Amino acid sequence: MLDTTDAVMAALHENDSRPYGRTRTVTAEELVDAAEQFDDTKVRSMALLELMEAYEYDGERNKTPVVFARVLKLWDQDRDGFGEWARHQVFWRFKWVAGALRDNPDVPLAAVERWLTELRDRYRAAGHGLHPYYAERYHLAEVTGIGVQDAYELWTARPRSELSDCPACETRARARHFIDLGDDARALEVLAPVLGGRSTCELEPYLSQSVALLPLLRRGRTDEARSAHLTGYRFARGKSSMLGAVARHIEFCALSGNEPRGLELLAENRDLFAVTGEAAARLDFLTGVEVLIAALARAGHGELAVSGPAGTAWTVDTLLAHLRTEADALAARFDTRNGTDTVGAARRARLAVEPLTAEPLALGVRAAAAPGTTAAAPALAPAPRRAVEAEPEDFTALVVRARELELLGHPDSDRLWKRIAERVAAADFVHPEGTAAGSPERLRAELAEQRAHEALERDAYAEGKAGLLEAAALFEAAGMAGAALMVRTRTLIVDLDEDSEDASSGVGDGGAREGSEGDGDGDSDGEGEAREGSDGEAKTEAKTEAKAKTEAKAADWPALDAALTRAEELRAVGELTDDDYLIVLQTRAYAAHHDLVEALPEPAAETVARFEAAVGGYHRSAVELGSDRRAATSRQYTADAAARQGRLAEAVAELREVLAQLDRAELPWHTPRVLGLLGQALLQSREPTQAVEVFHRALAEAARWGDDSYPYAPTYMMLGHSCMQVGDLGGAVRALSEAAARYDRKGPEAVEEAAQVRLQLADVLRDTGRTTDAVAVLESVLLDASAARLDVRMLAQTRLDLARGLAELEEYRDAAEEYLRLADLVAGWEDQETHTMVACEAALALAQADRWDAAEAALARAREAHRKAPQVDQMAATLRELARTTMRTRGADGLDSALALIAEADGVGAAAEEHGQEYNTWYLRGGSHYERARCLAVAERYEEALAEIERAVAVYDRGGERAEAPRAESVRLAALIEGSDLGRTGAAVARLTGGIARCEAAGLTEAAQVLAELRERFTASR
């Protein structure tokens, strides 16, 4: 019941703790009505100021002037009835009203000018500086385009005052001035303190990050642009008060080649179309969305369904028409009011901007592929593509050239075959009989073979195998028995290709897809190390184990042997070309390699002998027939097998020889896959610096030759691992982001690979201090519909990493929710240690979120899990941390509860000792003494606290070298209690002197410095 002023004030306080949004706004309106029943200026003013704030941050800024008029009336009647905070707010919010009037095209300029005069006069009369007044005059000039530079100089030349906007917000406004002038470099220089976190406020650095997106792209600072997008969008998402920021993130996606991501942002923010209370912000939002939608329309996606205002099904074309109509009209209203074309011109300029990146910028977050998107050249390998030779106009010449390039394994052969298919499909096509193009039957067989190749490159194995069989039948019909045999032989290893999808070899001519030179998804020992080495904390057993392999298929050797026999027969009578014969041998080599890999680490002698015979025979025949291409391929099988068996130096030497051979034979388009294998071998040889260079070369060469079948995703992943090992975390972020994007493009079959890479990316981001970026990446994995297809342990690992990231950001409520979801997920696992760990962390997050009832329930769950699967150190640490949180929340009143938790932690250790369970004795006991001392000190029971912390030091004395760091911290706390709380500075100095010496002896230089600084403080105070 709001029938007393105290009840209304309490309700106002409660409403102030709510997030901005419709609930807070409606409640604020109700509280104004409730306050009106009292003749109490304080209550009425506070209610009106709360309502004004709700409107300001809920997209209803145009209502603030009316509310403020009521505030001002109260002020003029009874300013003594305003509290100190409300007095300040009255003058502060003059600026809010100035902005609301300026940004509403229905308010005449004369009215805006009158208000600015009112602001100036009120400030003067109250003795406030006029810096805020000149800031508002600049913002008005910016909107009208009249006298902008003069207004800017008048504003920035004046000293700031207590009513000036916060430094971070003013910095953003100054930066936008330079962006409008086209000086991105100066703008980013101005923004540096905000973007670097040295100047912040409630909305900063997030608003500035959105402003910096395009300047960063234009200046080529793509790493910073990626980070600004991940961090800034996560904060702005769905907020009515950040319409403009959301629009800038959508626009950024469109101009960085991330249209699919832009569409997802549009869908996530569909409700913002309903925010109509801020005309300028709405125009900003509509224009940013239009940049994206117009780009999709230009790309031919007019019929694509997209998100738009609720109540209508929208396509790109219909939404674009809607956006243009409303936004053009809104801009015209501003220009009519202002008497200039400044607003309309700015809108037109924004829509005219061309894409700012030559290739899509990998953002790290997951985004579904949009229709019509294709794999682009690698963003981290900017080598220019070589000039592509012109296609012959004559059809026969085109066919002959395609066959020549295919024989060489040249990547342009695919392009020419696609062109041939297009011309054959034309209604007026007539086959040129009696020419070098050969018979129509032969051409149909070749085109069927090409279609099969394309299917295999998409990992559509059933379709590819069927296509090869169709091509074989057509070759038979064309009287080409040798070609038919070659194609049919390749069908024998299609199933092996599918079986090896999880990262087989990546060598050779790609098994069934002859000419692709392998899938390249080679193993990388660096993968597991990268995942585990980046985080010393406990992981779930989902430490993201690789997808469980299905039972491996073995090659059909009777069929392969029969194919070889038939090949020898056909070759003897001249019905099998040398290259087709080599393909039959290569198919056998591929099968032998597959069987050897599947049998590792201890293959049977028969398997090894078959591998050596098949690969050796392939190599000898390639050399005898003068095929440098095939000879090089055979050596790749040998090198890969050596690497997998631990003979890394041999593998590296062999691959370098292969590169030299290809160079001598002038076959540079075959080098990318060899370089990829060499990079893997170097990475496994603990030569990450060389591996980085080689992987970059591989990607650059693949891009140069336009090899769209190259395995970009795994190569980028391994490049990321190499960068991590050399300490180039920025390079690792770029490479892993690109790898994730490449896996996304492969579709549903690569969902787990993409998620795995993102887990590694998030680890690296956290290691670089970019936890918000890491959280954005992990959220994108879980929010995507494909998350349902993830292995349960990978899903668990993702939730665990996300929960920990959210806790690190102090978003404890969200962290707790993730922990609870995770606890439910792992509750039924056989290995209940994970359940114990998760329940412990959930309890702590809930307590930190001030949800104590839920925290107690989670702690009960942790206790139960601990009884089934003890995690002694973690359980005890959780209880101690809960004790600390209790004291932080309740102060001295929480002492008994906190001490009980610490006693329980001691009991966990005692029970473990009784049952013979392993745990870290000095860590548990010392931690309990330390935490108990802290609690007693907070309760001002200093003598008891000092005695307890000395017990901690004694325990750590027995802990050996590993206990030196916590011992040093205990010495610090003991000195603080002794010197600051008990006034015994001399004893504290002596204690610290001994502690410093011990830290220096143990090599703990940072700890020694901390103790030395404290000693200096005490010494100076004596």
Side-chain angles (χ1 to χ4, degrees):
M1 292 291 292
L2 300 175
D3 53 2
T4 67
T5 56
D6 287 344
V8 174
M9 290 298 290
L12 285 169
H13 179 74
E14 180 184 358
N15 201 43
D16 186 57
S17 67
R18 291 190 175 100
Y20 296 112
R22 195 64 198 144
T23 300
R24 177 168 176 169
T25 300
V26 170
T27 304
E29 291 171 337
E30 294 170 350
L31 291 174
V32 167
D33 292 337
E36 286 297 320
Q37 66 184 298
F38 306 108
D39 186 19
D40 187 316
T41 299
K42 179 179 180 181
V43 173
R44 293 167 68 190
S45 64
M46 290 295 287
L48 288 168
L49 289 170
E50 165 63 18
L51 177 58
M52 188 177 180
E53 183 174 340
Y55 284 150
E56 177 76 11
Y57 292 104
D58 191 27
E60 297 190 74
R61 199 178 187 193
N62 62 348
K63 295 181 180 180
T64 58
V66 175
V67 180
F68 191 66
R70 295 171 66 182
V71 173
L72 209 53
K73 183 177 179 180
L74 279 175
W75 173 262
D76 290 336
Q77 292 172 348
D78 180 22
R79 68 182 60 189
D80 290 338
F82 284 70
E84 183 178 350
W85 178 83
R87 288 170 180 268
H88 178 79
Q89 288 300 307
V90 168
F91 287 98
W92 185 267
R93 297 190 187 189
F94 266 93
K95 300 181 298 178
W96 287 14
V97 174
L101 297 175
R102 177 184 67 240
D103 292 342
N104 186 342
D106 297 328
V107 175
L109 279 184
V112 182
E113 291 283 0
R114 284 195 300 272
W115 183 256
L116 292 182
T117 301
E118 176 89 357
L119 182 154
R120 181 194 64 195
D121 293 346
R122 293 268 189 170
Y123 275 33
R124 275 179 176 165
H128 295 302
L130 293 183
H131 182 264
Y133 164 74
Y134 284 100
E136 293 303 327
R137 293 222 62 93
Y138 165 72
H139 293 314
L140 179 60
E142 189 181 26
V143 170
T144 63
I146 300 172
V148 177
Q149 189 60 34
D150 288 344
Y152 178 80
E153 291 172 2
L154 283 170
W155 165 42
T156 56
R158 286 185 170 267
R160 285 174 48 80
S161 69
E162 64 172 335
L163 290 173
S164 295
D165 285 346
C166 81
C169 291
E170 284 209 343
T171 296
R172 182 181 73 253
R174 289 172 54 217
R176 295 195 70 161
H177 176 74
F178 291 111
I179 292 171
D180 291 342
L181 293 176
D183 192 346
D184 288 336
R186 181 73 183 279
L188 293 172
E189 180 182 348
V190 169
L191 277 177
V194 181
L195 297 178
R198 299 190 298 278
S199 178
T200 63
C201 73
E202 183 178 359
L203 299 180
E204 290 293 356
Y206 312 108
L207 280 173
S208 289
Q209 286 169 332
S210 72
V211 168
L213 289 171
L214 299 188
L216 287 169
L217 273 188
R218 286 191 287 260
R219 299 292 296 174
R221 292 163 61 174
T222 53
D223 289 353
E224 294 165 84
R226 178 192 298 110
S227 181
H229 171 64
L230 294 178
T231 302
Y233 173 70
R234 186 172 177 272
F235 181 86
R237 179 175 54 206
K239 290 184 173 69
S240 300
S241 60
M242 300 194 78
L243 275 176
V246 170
R248 287 187 285 276
H249 284 284
I250 291 174
E251 179 180 21
F252 164 79
C253 290
L255 297 177
S256 64
N258 284 282
E259 292 88 347
R261 167 77 172 164
L263 289 175
E264 292 193 355
L265 267 58
L266 183 59
E268 289 176 356
N269 294 277
R270 183 177 191 177
D271 290 347
L272 296 185
F273 279 106
V275 178
T276 58
E278 298 183 34
R282 182 167 182 80
L283 178 59
D284 200 0
F285 177 71
L286 295 174
T287 303
V289 173
E290 187 176 339
V291 171
L292 170 68
I293 299 302
L296 291 169
R298 287 193 298 272
H301 301 305
E303 297 303 314
L304 179 66
V306 294
S307 297
T312 302
W314 298 94
T315 66
V316 164
D317 285 343
T318 59
L319 182 58
L320 181 58
H322 173 80
L323 293 169
R324 284 177 174 166
T325 299
E326 182 180 353
D328 283 346
L330 192 50
R333 285 167 57 198
F334 273 105
D335 286 342
T336 299
R337 192 274 304 266
N338 297 338
T340 65
D341 70 345
T342 298
V343 173
R347 170 174 149 75
R348 290 188 292 274
R350 189 172 173 184
L351 292 171
V353 174
E354 296 289 331
L356 299 176
T357 56
E359 306 294 345
L361 173 64
L363 300 176
V365 289
R366 178 161 178 83
T373 57
T374 58
L380 300 188
R385 288 199 178 196
R386 75 228 151 46
V388 178
E389 66 176 72
E391 297 175 2
E393 286 295 325
D394 178 71
F395 182 78
T396 298
L398 179 64
V399 172
V400 170
R401 185 57 178 157
R403 289 170 181 160
E404 291 172 350
L405 292 179
E406 185 173 11
L407 190 63
L408 295 171
H410 197 290
D412 279 355
S413 65
D414 287 344
R415 175 175 59 85
L416 297 188
W417 280 115
K418 288 176 183 176
R419 181 63 183 137
I420 292 167
E422 291 171 1
R423 293 179 65 170
V424 168
D428 59 350
F429 174 73
V430 177
H431 186 84
E433 297 282 0
T435 67
S439 68
E441 292 78 13
R442 176 185 178 182
L443 189 59
R444 282 197 293 273
E446 289 170 324
L447 292 174
E449 183 184 10
Q450 294 301 319
R451 291 192 297 273
H453 293 172
E454 292 169 7
L456 292 170
E457 285 171 2
R458 298 194 310 271
D459 295 338
Y461 294 103
E463 179 185 345
K465 187 172 184 179
L468 289 175
L469 292 172
E470 176 191 359
L474 289 170
F475 276 124
E476 290 280 9
M480 300 178 66
L485 173 67
M486 176 270 294
V487 173
R488 193 172 287 110
T489 302
R490 295 208 319 261
T491 66
L492 299 176
I493 57 172
V494 169
D495 292 341
L496 303 185
D497 275 345
E498 184 173 13
D499 178 47
S500 302
E501 245 190 315
D502 61 319
S504 157
S505 70
V507 299
D509 281 357
R513 172 50 171 117
E514 189 278 325
S516 72
E517 295 298 324
D519 61 14
D521 290 348
D523 286 346
S524 168
D525 286 355
E527 179 174 347
E529 294 165 14
R531 180 79 184 121
E532 296 177 44
S534 64
D535 188 352
E537 297 178 278
K539 298 282 185 186
T540 72
E541 286 305 313
K543 203 178 292 181
T544 56
E545 301 168 348
K547 183 168 53 179
K549 292 177 65 173
T550 58
E551 186 175 347
K553 301 182 180 71
D556 185 350
W557 282 102
L560 287 164
D561 290 340
L564 177 60
T565 299
R566 179 59 177 158
E568 299 285 4
E569 294 171 354
L570 291 173
R571 189 169 179 236
V573 296
E575 292 189 23
L576 185 69
T577 67
D578 287 346
D579 199 63
D580 285 351
Y581 174 65
L582 288 174
I583 292 174
V584 171
L585 295 181
Q586 179 256 315
T587 303
R588 291 170 54 84
Y590 180 91
H593 176 272
H594 169 274
D595 285 359
L596 178 69
V597 168
E598 294 299 335
L600 291 174
E602 297 181 2
E606 179 186 2
T607 302
V608 174
R610 181 178 285 144
F611 171 80
E612 292 174 350
V615 174
Y618 178 32
H619 179 73
R620 286 190 298 275
S621 295
V623 172
E624 291 170 2
L625 295 173
S627 176
D628 291 301
R629 169 198 178 189
R630 305 294 182 187
T633 299
S634 68
R635 298 180 70 178
Q636 291 175 57
Y637 287 116
T638 300
D640 185 75
R644 290 175 183 276
Q645 293 174 304
R647 305 193 310 276
L648 296 171
E650 178 185 332
V652 168
E654 185 75 5
L655 290 167
R656 292 195 186 281
E657 280 296 317
V658 171
L659 289 170
Q661 180 180 353
L662 291 171
D663 183 57
R664 290 191 299 271
E666 297 183 351
L667 297 171
W669 49 87
H670 290 298
T671 60
R673 295 170 195 276
V674 183
L675 288 165
L677 281 174
L678 177 59
Q680 290 180 62
L682 290 168
L683 183 57
Q684 294 173 47
S685 300
R686 304 296 187 266
E687 297 287 349
T689 302
Q690 292 186 50
V692 168
E693 177 187 352
V694 170
F695 283 133
H696 272 298
R697 282 180 58 200
L699 291 163
E701 286 299 303
R704 177 189 173 206
W705 291 101
D707 187 355
D708 292 337
S709 68
Y710 183 78
Y712 288 107
T715 304
Y716 273 114
M717 180 181 68
M718 291 182 290
L719 172 60
H721 297 167
S722 303
C723 288
M724 290 159 65
Q725 292 189 25
V726 299
D728 179 11
L729 298 184
V733 169
R734 289 190 294 275
L736 293 174
S737 296
E738 188 69 27
R742 297 284 175 168
Y743 277 124
D744 287 345
R745 295 175 199 172
K746 294 180 72 172
E749 69 276 2
V751 164
E752 290 205 359
E753 288 85 350
Q756 172 69 51
V757 171
R758 287 192 168 91
L759 286 172
Q760 297 166 13
L761 173 59
D763 277 350
V764 179
L765 288 167
R766 285 183 66 186
D767 288 346
T768 58
R770 291 155 59 185
T771 301
T772 307
D773 293 19
V775 165
V777 169
L778 294 167
E779 285 177 336
S780 77
V781 174
L782 294 174
L783 291 174
D784 190 76
S786 64
R789 296 196 295 271
L790 292 179
D791 173 82
V792 65
R793 291 185 176 272
M794 184 177 291
L795 187 62
Q797 184 65 58
T798 306
R799 288 206 182 281
L800 177 62
D801 288 357
L802 176 57
R804 286 174 171 169
L806 290 166
E808 189 175 329
L809 295 176
E810 299 184 1
E811 297 180 22
Y812 297 120
R813 286 180 179 268
D814 290 341
E817 289 179 7
E818 287 299 332
Y819 277 125
L820 291 175
R821 291 190 190 101
L822 180 57
D824 290 340
L825 183 64
V826 305
W829 288 9
E830 183 177 345
D831 48 332
Q832 279 293 289
E833 290 85 356
T834 300
H835 189 199
T836 305
M837 174 192 70
V838 172
C840 284
E841 296 191 28
L844 187 55
L846 286 162
Q848 290 166 327
D850 203 27
R851 295 173 58 186
W852 286 95
D853 289 345
E856 184 57 43
L859 183 58
R861 186 174 191 169
R863 291 180 180 120
E864 179 62 26
H866 174 72
R867 277 192 286 272
K868 297 177 181 176
Q871 293 284 285
V872 179
D873 289 327
Q874 175 139 29
M875 189 71 209
T878 298
L879 291 163
R880 292 195 302 270
E881 190 63 36
L882 284 170
R884 179 180 299 193
T885 305
T886 298
M887 295 300 294
R888 187 184 301 125
T889 303
R890 297 172 55 193
D893 291 341
L895 180 62
D896 289 344
S897 296
L899 293 178
L901 288 165
I902 296 171
E904 184 180 350
D906 287 333
V908 167
E913 201 160 310
E914 181 181 341
H915 292 93
Q917 296 164 353
E918 291 186 5
Y919 73 101
N920 191 328
T921 307
W922 64 261
Y923 176 77
L924 191 153
R925 293 178 178 172
S928 289
H929 289 305
Y930 174 85
E931 205 58 57
R932 192 176 289 112
R934 280 177 57 98
C935 294
L936 290 165
V938 171
E940 299 182 2
R941 291 165 57 173
Y942 301 122
E943 292 290 358
E944 294 172 77
L946 182 59
E948 198 65 31
I949 197 64
E950 287 179 335
R951 293 186 187 101
V953 172
V955 170
Y956 290 136
D957 276 338
R958 299 191 294 272
E961 184 178 339
R962 290 187 303 162
E964 286 296 329
R967 183 190 187 281
E969 167 56 22
S970 296
V971 168
R972 184 193 70 83
L973 180 58
L976 277 173
I977 295 171
E978 205 165 31
S980 295
D981 300 321
L982 295 174
R984 305 171 192 163
T985 54
V989 168
R991 184 187 298 274
L992 288 166
T993 300
I996 292 166
R998 183 151 178 165
C999 286
E1000 289 174 344
L1004 300 175
T1005 55
E1006 187 174 340
Q1009 180 63 32
V1010 169
L1011 297 183
E1013 290 173 359
L1014 184 58
R1015 182 177 64 178
E1016 288 175 15
R1017 190 178 111 196
F1018 285 143
T1019 301
S1021 68
R1022 292 171 65 184

